Amino acid sequence: MTQVEAPSWTPMSAEEREAFERDGYIVVPSVLNESEIEAGRSAILGYYEKAKAEGKLSATGALHQLSPIAHVPELAFLIDHPKAFKYIWSLLGWNLHIYHSHIDVHPKLHEQQKEFWHWHQDGGRQNREIETDPRPMLSVKLAYWFSDVSETGRGNFTVLPGSHKTNWLPGPPNRSTPWPQPEGAVQITANAGDLVVFDRRIWHARSDNYSDITRVGAFFGYTPRWIAMRDENADLPNRPEWANLTEVQKQLLGGFGNGDGDHQWGHYPETTPLYGALKERGLLDSSIPALIP
Protein backbone atom coordinates (compact mmCIF):
# COMPACT_ATOMS: atom_id res chain seq x y z
CA MET A 1 0.00 0.00 0.00
CA THR A 2 1.31 3.47 -0.86
CA GLN A 3 2.57 5.38 2.16
CA VAL A 4 1.45 8.99 2.25
CA GLU A 5 3.46 11.79 3.79
CA ALA A 6 1.65 12.82 6.97
CA PRO A 7 1.40 16.60 7.21
CA SER A 8 -0.62 17.96 10.10
CA TRP A 9 -4.33 18.24 9.47
CA THR A 10 -5.40 21.80 8.68
CA PRO A 11 -8.72 23.17 7.37
CA MET A 12 -9.06 24.89 4.03
CA SER A 13 -8.17 28.58 4.19
CA ALA A 14 -10.66 31.42 4.18
CA GLU A 15 -9.37 32.48 0.76
CA GLU A 16 -9.89 28.98 -0.65
CA ARG A 17 -13.40 28.82 0.79
CA GLU A 18 -14.24 32.21 -0.71
CA ALA A 19 -13.01 31.13 -4.16
CA PHE A 20 -14.86 27.82 -3.93
CA GLU A 21 -18.12 29.48 -2.95
CA ARG A 22 -17.72 32.07 -5.74
CA ASP A 23 -16.60 29.85 -8.61
CA GLY A 24 -17.80 26.39 -7.58
CA TYR A 25 -14.29 24.91 -7.79
CA ILE A 26 -10.65 25.48 -6.92
CA VAL A 27 -7.41 24.09 -8.37
CA VAL A 28 -4.80 23.04 -5.81
CA PRO A 29 -1.28 22.53 -7.22
CA SER A 30 1.19 19.79 -6.24
CA VAL A 31 -1.06 17.83 -3.88
CA LEU A 32 0.66 14.55 -4.80
CA ASN A 33 4.42 14.05 -4.74
CA GLU A 34 6.32 12.26 -7.49
CA SER A 35 6.15 8.82 -5.87
CA GLU A 36 2.39 9.17 -5.28
CA ILE A 37 1.86 10.26 -8.89
CA GLU A 38 3.81 7.25 -10.12
CA ALA A 39 1.97 4.85 -7.79
CA GLY A 40 -1.46 6.10 -8.79
CA ARG A 41 -0.70 6.29 -12.49
CA SER A 42 0.82 2.81 -12.58
CA ALA A 43 -2.14 1.32 -10.73
CA ILE A 44 -4.69 2.96 -13.04
CA LEU A 45 -2.84 2.11 -16.24
CA GLY A 46 -2.30 -1.44 -15.01
CA TYR A 47 -6.04 -1.83 -14.61
CA TYR A 48 -6.54 -0.18 -18.00
CA GLU A 49 -4.43 -2.86 -19.67
CA LYS A 50 -6.41 -5.55 -17.88
CA ALA A 51 -9.72 -4.01 -19.03
CA LYS A 52 -8.32 -3.72 -22.55
CA ALA A 53 -7.40 -7.41 -22.60
CA GLU A 54 -10.92 -8.26 -21.42
CA GLY A 55 -12.54 -6.10 -24.12
CA LYS A 56 -14.07 -3.67 -21.62
CA LEU A 57 -12.95 -0.39 -23.19
CA SER A 58 -15.16 1.98 -25.16
CA ALA A 59 -15.15 2.16 -28.95
CA THR A 60 -12.51 4.91 -28.72
CA GLY A 61 -10.33 2.90 -26.34
CA ALA A 62 -11.36 4.86 -23.25
CA LEU A 63 -11.94 3.56 -19.73
CA HIS A 64 -14.54 4.90 -17.29
CA GLN A 65 -14.54 2.56 -14.29
CA LEU A 66 -16.91 3.15 -11.38
CA SER A 67 -16.16 2.02 -7.79
CA PRO A 68 -12.39 2.11 -8.39
CA ILE A 69 -11.29 1.04 -4.91
CA ALA A 70 -13.15 -2.23 -5.44
CA HIS A 71 -11.12 -2.77 -8.62
CA VAL A 72 -7.83 -0.98 -7.84
CA PRO A 73 -7.39 -1.08 -4.04
CA GLU A 74 -3.91 0.42 -4.39
CA LEU A 75 -5.66 3.78 -4.84
CA ALA A 76 -7.06 3.81 -1.30
CA PHE A 77 -4.38 6.29 -0.24
CA LEU A 78 -6.17 8.93 -2.29
CA ILE A 79 -9.50 8.85 -0.48
CA ASP A 80 -8.22 10.57 2.68
CA HIS A 81 -4.97 12.09 1.48
CA PRO A 82 -4.37 14.88 4.05
CA LYS A 83 -3.58 17.55 1.45
CA ALA A 84 -6.84 16.83 -0.38
CA PHE A 85 -9.22 15.44 2.23
CA LYS A 86 -9.10 18.67 4.25
CA TYR A 87 -11.33 20.29 1.62
CA ILE A 88 -13.93 17.59 2.11
CA TRP A 89 -14.32 17.74 5.88
CA SER A 90 -13.97 21.53 5.83
CA LEU A 91 -17.00 21.73 3.53
CA LEU A 92 -19.05 18.66 4.47
CA GLY A 93 -18.11 17.82 8.06
CA TRP A 94 -17.51 14.42 9.65
CA ASN A 95 -20.63 12.35 8.85
CA LEU A 96 -19.76 11.47 5.27
CA HIS A 97 -18.77 8.75 2.87
CA ILE A 98 -17.76 8.37 -0.79
CA TYR A 99 -20.91 7.78 -2.76
CA HIS A 100 -19.68 8.00 -6.36
CA SER A 101 -16.17 7.56 -7.71
CA HIS A 102 -14.42 6.60 -10.92
CA ILE A 103 -11.10 6.37 -12.70
CA ASP A 104 -10.74 7.52 -16.29
CA VAL A 105 -8.25 6.86 -19.06
CA HIS A 106 -8.70 8.61 -22.41
CA PRO A 107 -6.07 8.07 -25.10
CA LYS A 108 -5.72 10.25 -28.16
CA LEU A 109 -8.73 10.49 -30.47
CA HIS A 110 -7.72 10.01 -34.09
CA GLU A 111 -10.96 11.25 -35.63
CA GLN A 112 -12.69 14.57 -35.05
CA GLN A 113 -15.74 14.09 -32.85
CA LYS A 114 -19.09 15.82 -33.28
CA GLU A 115 -19.72 18.40 -30.59
CA PHE A 116 -22.49 16.72 -28.62
CA TRP A 117 -23.85 18.11 -25.35
CA HIS A 118 -22.22 16.39 -22.38
CA TRP A 119 -22.79 19.16 -19.86
CA HIS A 120 -24.26 18.07 -16.55
CA GLN A 121 -24.37 18.46 -12.81
CA ASP A 122 -23.52 15.49 -10.59
CA GLY A 123 -26.19 13.93 -8.43
CA GLY A 124 -28.59 12.28 -10.87
CA ARG A 125 -32.19 12.51 -9.65
CA GLN A 126 -31.21 15.12 -7.07
CA ASN A 127 -31.31 17.58 -9.94
CA ARG A 128 -34.89 16.70 -10.83
CA GLU A 129 -36.49 15.97 -7.49
CA ILE A 130 -35.15 18.74 -5.24
CA GLU A 131 -37.28 21.83 -5.71
CA THR A 132 -35.13 24.67 -4.35
CA ASP A 133 -33.36 27.24 -6.51
CA PRO A 134 -30.46 26.93 -6.25
CA ARG A 135 -30.41 23.31 -5.14
CA PRO A 136 -28.21 22.41 -2.14
CA MET A 137 -24.59 21.42 -2.62
CA LEU A 138 -24.92 17.96 -0.98
CA SER A 139 -21.61 16.65 -2.30
CA VAL A 140 -18.08 17.70 -3.23
CA LYS A 141 -15.74 15.90 -5.59
CA LEU A 142 -11.96 15.56 -5.70
CA ALA A 143 -10.32 15.14 -9.12
CA TYR A 144 -6.70 13.93 -9.03
CA TRP A 145 -4.60 14.28 -12.19
CA PHE A 146 -2.03 11.67 -13.17
CA SER A 147 -1.32 13.13 -16.62
CA ASP A 148 -0.26 16.50 -17.96
CA VAL A 149 -3.34 18.56 -18.80
CA SER A 150 -1.47 21.85 -18.62
CA GLU A 151 -2.67 22.71 -22.12
CA THR A 152 -6.19 22.66 -23.50
CA GLY A 153 -7.37 19.91 -25.84
CA ARG A 154 -6.05 17.11 -23.65
CA GLY A 155 -9.38 15.88 -22.31
CA ASN A 156 -9.47 18.72 -19.82
CA PHE A 157 -12.09 18.96 -17.11
CA THR A 158 -14.26 21.80 -18.43
CA VAL A 159 -16.49 23.99 -16.28
CA LEU A 160 -18.74 27.00 -16.40
CA PRO A 161 -17.39 29.06 -13.47
CA GLY A 162 -20.03 30.19 -11.02
CA SER A 163 -22.72 27.95 -12.51
CA HIS A 164 -23.17 25.96 -9.28
CA LYS A 165 -25.91 28.40 -8.33
CA THR A 166 -27.74 27.80 -11.64
CA ASN A 167 -30.27 24.98 -11.84
CA TRP A 168 -30.64 24.90 -15.60
CA LEU A 169 -28.65 25.61 -18.78
CA PRO A 170 -30.16 26.11 -22.25
CA GLY A 171 -29.12 23.11 -24.31
CA PRO A 172 -30.16 20.87 -27.20
CA PRO A 173 -33.55 19.16 -27.48
CA ASN A 174 -31.75 15.83 -26.97
CA ARG A 175 -28.20 14.53 -26.51
CA SER A 176 -27.98 13.19 -30.06
CA THR A 177 -28.19 16.70 -31.51
CA PRO A 178 -24.77 18.39 -32.01
CA TRP A 179 -24.63 21.53 -29.88
CA PRO A 180 -21.92 24.07 -28.99
CA GLN A 181 -20.61 24.37 -25.45
CA PRO A 182 -22.10 27.13 -23.27
CA GLU A 183 -20.63 30.61 -23.45
CA GLY A 184 -17.98 31.19 -20.81
CA ALA A 185 -16.88 27.55 -20.56
CA VAL A 186 -13.29 27.08 -19.34
CA GLN A 187 -10.98 24.10 -19.86
CA ILE A 188 -9.10 23.71 -16.57
CA THR A 189 -5.37 23.22 -17.02
CA ALA A 190 -3.32 21.32 -14.47
CA ASN A 191 -0.14 19.33 -14.02
CA ALA A 192 0.13 15.73 -12.87
CA GLY A 193 -0.26 15.75 -9.09
CA ASP A 194 -2.63 18.72 -9.07
CA LEU A 195 -6.12 18.51 -7.62
CA VAL A 196 -9.45 20.04 -8.61
CA VAL A 197 -12.04 20.38 -5.85
CA PHE A 198 -15.55 21.05 -7.13
CA ASP A 199 -19.14 21.49 -6.02
CA ARG A 200 -21.30 18.74 -7.55
CA ARG A 201 -23.68 21.42 -8.86
CA ILE A 202 -21.18 23.12 -11.13
CA TRP A 203 -22.02 22.51 -14.78
CA HIS A 204 -19.15 20.55 -16.26
CA ALA A 205 -18.05 18.25 -19.07
CA ARG A 206 -14.87 16.73 -20.50
CA SER A 207 -13.09 18.11 -23.54
CA ASP A 208 -11.96 15.69 -26.24
CA ASN A 209 -8.35 14.56 -26.17
CA TYR A 210 -6.61 15.09 -29.50
CA SER A 211 -3.13 15.22 -27.97
CA ASP A 212 -0.47 12.53 -27.80
CA ILE A 213 -0.82 12.50 -23.99
CA THR A 214 -3.16 9.90 -22.53
CA ARG A 215 -5.53 11.52 -20.04
CA VAL A 216 -5.46 9.75 -16.64
CA GLY A 217 -7.52 10.85 -13.65
CA ALA A 218 -9.24 9.64 -10.48
CA PHE A 219 -12.45 11.19 -9.14
CA PHE A 220 -13.99 10.75 -5.68
CA GLY A 221 -17.35 12.26 -4.70
CA TYR A 222 -18.17 12.71 -0.99
CA THR A 223 -21.61 13.22 0.53
CA PRO A 224 -23.38 12.85 3.90
CA ARG A 225 -23.89 9.24 4.99
CA TRP A 226 -27.66 9.72 4.90
CA ILE A 227 -27.43 9.76 1.09
CA ALA A 228 -27.17 6.31 -0.51
CA MET A 229 -23.91 5.20 -2.13
CA ARG A 230 -23.74 4.55 -5.85
CA ASP A 231 -20.38 2.79 -5.49
CA GLU A 232 -20.51 -0.98 -5.12
CA ASN A 233 -18.17 -1.72 -2.21
CA ALA A 234 -20.17 -4.37 -0.35
CA ASP A 235 -17.51 -7.05 -0.79
CA LEU A 236 -14.56 -4.93 0.35
CA PRO A 237 -14.75 -5.96 4.05
CA ASN A 238 -14.30 -9.59 2.95
CA ARG A 239 -10.99 -8.94 1.23
CA PRO A 240 -7.51 -9.19 2.80
CA GLU A 241 -6.63 -5.57 1.99
CA TRP A 242 -9.50 -4.33 4.19
CA ALA A 243 -7.37 -5.00 7.27
CA ASN A 244 -4.79 -2.48 6.02
CA LEU A 245 -7.26 0.40 5.88
CA THR A 246 -7.67 2.97 8.63
CA GLU A 247 -11.00 3.33 10.42
CA VAL A 248 -11.59 6.64 8.61
CA GLN A 249 -10.99 4.96 5.25
CA LYS A 250 -13.44 2.20 6.20
CA GLN A 251 -16.04 4.85 7.03
CA LEU A 252 -15.50 6.54 3.67
CA LEU A 253 -15.95 3.25 1.83
CA GLY A 254 -19.25 2.50 3.56
CA GLY A 255 -17.96 -0.27 5.80
CA PHE A 256 -18.51 1.36 9.16
CA GLY A 257 -21.48 1.66 11.50
CA ASN A 258 -23.76 -0.65 13.43
CA GLY A 259 -26.06 -1.36 10.51
CA ASP A 260 -28.93 0.95 11.38
CA GLY A 261 -30.04 4.24 9.88
CA ASP A 262 -29.48 6.18 13.09
CA HIS A 263 -25.71 5.79 12.77
CA GLN A 264 -25.73 7.03 9.20
CA TRP A 265 -27.94 9.93 10.23
CA GLY A 266 -25.12 11.04 12.52
CA HIS A 267 -26.76 10.26 15.86
CA TYR A 268 -23.55 8.67 17.21
CA PRO A 269 -20.68 11.06 16.53
CA GLU A 270 -18.47 9.63 19.27
CA THR A 271 -18.34 6.28 17.46
CA THR A 272 -17.82 7.75 14.00
CA PRO A 273 -14.10 7.59 13.05
CA LEU A 274 -13.80 10.93 11.25
CA TYR A 275 -15.50 12.75 14.10
CA GLY A 276 -12.95 11.25 16.48
CA ALA A 277 -10.02 12.15 14.25
CA LEU A 278 -11.17 15.77 13.97
CA LYS A 279 -11.96 16.03 17.69
CA GLU A 280 -8.53 14.66 18.60
CA ARG A 281 -6.93 17.41 16.52
CA GLY A 282 -9.16 20.22 17.80
CA LEU A 283 -10.74 20.76 14.38
CA LEU A 284 -14.46 20.64 15.24
CA ASP A 285 -15.04 24.28 14.31
CA SER A 286 -18.40 25.37 15.73
CA SER A 287 -18.67 28.10 13.08
CA ILE A 288 -19.17 25.38 10.43
CA PRO A 289 -22.58 23.68 10.89
CA ALA A 290 -21.45 20.33 9.44
CA LEU A 291 -18.67 20.08 12.04
CA ILE A 292 -21.01 20.49 15.03
CA PRO A 293 -21.84 17.17 16.76
Side-chain angles (χ1 to χ4, degrees), residues 35-49:
S35 64
E36 291 167 344
I37 295 169
E38 178 56 31
R41 180 179 173 85
S42 294
I44 294 171
L45 291 180
Y47 182 79
Y48 176 83
E49 291 301 324

Side-chain angles (χ1 to χ4, degrees), residues 100-104 141-143 145 157 198 215 217-221:
H100 171 49
S101 56
H102 50 94
I103 51 175
D104 295 279
K141 213 167 192 179
L142 301 180
W145 293 110
F157 180 61
F198 64 98
R215 174 193 194 257
F219 298 74
F220 298 93

Side-chain angles (χ1 to χ4, degrees), residues 159-215:
V159 302
L160 193 61
S163 63
H164 56 304
K165 301 295 179 69
T166 302
N167 280 1
W168 178 84
L169 283 185
N174 55 64
R175 286 180 177 262
S176 62
T177 301
W179 205 264
Q181 65 181 7
E183 184 178 353
V186 173
Q187 291 190 33
I188 294 177
T189 55
N191 295 307
D194 291 354
L195 177 79
V196 181
V197 185
F198 64 98
D199 184 321
R200 68 148 194 103
R201 299 171 296 176
I202 195 167
W203 288 87
H204 61 281
R206 171 182 50 80
S207 74
D208 289 327
N209 181 16
Y210 296 108
S211 76
D212 292 326
I213 296 175
T214 296
R215 174 193 194 257

Side-chain angles (χ1 to χ4, degrees), residues 5-285:
E5 294 179 0
S8 59
W9 286 34
T10 56
M12 67 188 302
S13 69
E15 293 77 17
E16 289 172 325
R17 186 180 292 272
E18 179 183 4
F20 182 85
E21 292 178 352
R22 180 190 67 236
D23 298 330
Y25 74 97
I26 56 174
V27 180
V28 188
S30 303
V31 165
L32 302 179
N33 62 35
E34 290 299 324
S35 64
E36 291 167 344
I37 295 169
E38 178 56 31
R41 180 179 173 85
S42 294
I44 294 171
L45 291 180
Y47 182 79
Y48 176 83
E49 291 301 324
K50 177 177 181 289
K52 183 178 180 180
E54 295 173 353
K56 295 181 178 179
L57 303 182
S58 74
T60 60
L63 171 73
H64 177 67
Q65 179 62 62
L66 303 178
S67 311
I69 303 304
H71 299 276
V72 193
E74 302 95 315
L75 298 178
F77 76 96
L78 297 173
I79 68 176
D80 63 341
H81 192 291
K83 292 183 180 180
F85 190 46
K86 67 177 184 178
Y87 299 103
I88 298 301
W89 57 259
S90 291
L91 292 162
L92 294 174
W94 51 268
N95 188 39
L96 50 83
H97 58 194
I98 296 170
Y99 80 119
H100 171 49
S101 56
H102 50 94
I103 51 175
D104 295 279
V105 179
H106 289 86
K108 178 180 181 177
L109 291 169
H110 295 282
E111 295 182 5
Q112 188 73 28
Q113 305 294 298
K114 291 183 179 180
E115 195 168 13
F116 291 115
W117 183 266
H118 297 296
W119 288 83
H120 65 282
Q121 296 172 306
D122 285 348
R125 297 294 301 183
Q126 293 173 353
N127 298 312
R128 291 184 179 272
E129 298 172 1
I130 295 177
E131 300 173 350
T132 60
D133 188 2
R135 288 181 283 265
M137 179 171 64
L138 293 178
S139 68
V140 175
K141 213 167 192 179
L142 301 180
Y144 291 95
W145 293 110
F146 294 96
S147 59
D148 181 357
V149 288
S150 60
E151 297 180 10
T152 60
R154 295 181 176 179
N156 305 66
F157 180 61
T158 306
V159 302
L160 193 61
S163 63
H164 56 304
K165 301 295 179 69
T166 302
N167 280 1
W168 178 84
L169 283 185
N174 55 64
R175 286 180 177 262
S176 62
T177 301
W179 205 264
Q181 65 181 7
E183 184 178 353
V186 173
Q187 291 190 33
I188 294 177
T189 55
N191 295 307
D194 291 354
L195 177 79
V196 181
V197 185
F198 64 98
D199 184 321
R200 68 148 194 103
R201 299 171 296 176
I202 195 167
W203 288 87
H204 61 281
R206 171 182 50 80
S207 74
D208 289 327
N209 181 16
Y210 296 108
S211 76
D212 292 326
I213 296 175
T214 296
R215 174 193 194 257
V216 182
F219 298 74
F220 298 93
Y222 301 74
T223 200
R225 292 168 69 219
W226 39 263
I227 293 177
M229 297 176 67
R230 182 184 181 188
D231 281 359
E232 297 179 357
N233 295 331
D235 188 53
L236 283 177
N238 301 320
R239 299 184 187 179
E241 56 264 24
W242 186 256
N244 297 323
L245 300 178
T246 68
E247 294 304 297
V248 169
Q249 290 175 329
K250 292 175 182 178
Q251 173 187 328
L252 297 178
L253 294 171
F256 190 87
N258 58 9
D260 65 25
D262 278 352
H263 205 286
Q264 292 198 323
W265 275 28
H267 288 181
Y268 305 106
E270 296 292 344
T271 59
T272 303
L274 182 53
Y275 177 89
L278 293 171
K279 182 179 181 180
E280 178 184 349
R281 294 166 173 80
L283 293 170
L284 294 173
D285 186 344

